Amino acid sequence: MKKTLGNLVGGLVGAAVLNIVHQAVAQFSEDAPRVDKVGEEALSKGLDKVGVQPPQGEKLFLTTLAADVISNAAYYSLIGMARRKNIIGLGLASGLVAGVGALALTKPMGLDDKPITRTKKTKYMTVAWYAIGGLAAGLVIKSLRK
């Protein structure tokens, strides 16, 4: 149970770091990826498909943010499945895979990929932010294993 809790805490920290970096850099750089916009579109389309009126404005942003934190926390918590000595490397690798996945899967899922693929810099930042989140998760999970 203690290991599972540590994995969940690490995953939550990684997801929080990812979202804080995304939102902070978006305030200062027009090249910053806007994963939140992709998430809002995905949430709206998903709710429409099941006949539910999607939220609008700030409520849509907050609902998407909550869903993003929960899903990324669950994903990053899987890093804890590795042996302690491999956790940081797996955290970084998991983050890189998530970032590349965001770039590669958005359009095939029927979503507008421009918010994360506008420029080369935007693409690099997308992958880097997910990698930072994975690394943060790995560091926390490893430190909680001591």
Side-chain angles (χ1 to χ4, degrees):
M1 183 65 145
K2 185 177 179 183
K3 184 177 174 181
T4 301
L5 182 59
N7 293 348
L8 291 172
V9 168
L12 184 58
V13 169
V17 167
L18 166 65
N19 280 283
I20 289 167
V21 170
H22 270 297
Q23 294 302 314
V25 177
Q27 302 300 313
F28 303 103
S29 173
E30 61 186 43
D31 287 321
R34 296 301 308 266
V35 176
D36 55 320
K37 299 300 179 193
V38 175
E40 288 176 359
E41 180 186 7
L43 180 66
S44 293
K45 283 185 173 182
L47 290 174
D48 275 341
K49 283 195 187 265
V50 295
V52 175
Q53 178 68 35
Q56 302 293 313
E58 185 74 10
K59 198 170 186 177
L60 175 61
F61 172 78
L62 293 173
T63 304
T64 303
L65 179 62
D68 188 56
V69 169
I70 291 166
S71 62
N72 282 308
Y75 174 73
Y76 285 142
S77 72
L78 296 175
I79 294 165
M81 301 297 287
R83 290 186 169 151
R84 187 176 185 278
K85 69 178 185 169
N86 300 328
I87 289 176
I88 294 174
L90 183 59
L92 179 59
S94 296
L96 290 170
V97 167
V100 171
L103 295 177
L105 297 175
T106 303
K107 193 167 226 158
M109 291 172 55
L111 302 171
D112 180 13
D113 68 347
K114 285 181 187 61
I116 58 173
T117 63
R118 282 189 314 281
T119 67
K120 280 187 179 183
K121 191 173 177 182
T122 306
K123 292 176 187 179
Y124 292 138
M125 283 191 268
T126 298
V127 175
W129 298 171
Y130 279 97
I132 290 168
L135 188 57
L139 288 166
V140 169
I141 292 168
K142 184 172 183 172
S143 72
L144 292 174
R145 290 255 181 105
K146 290 182 179 176

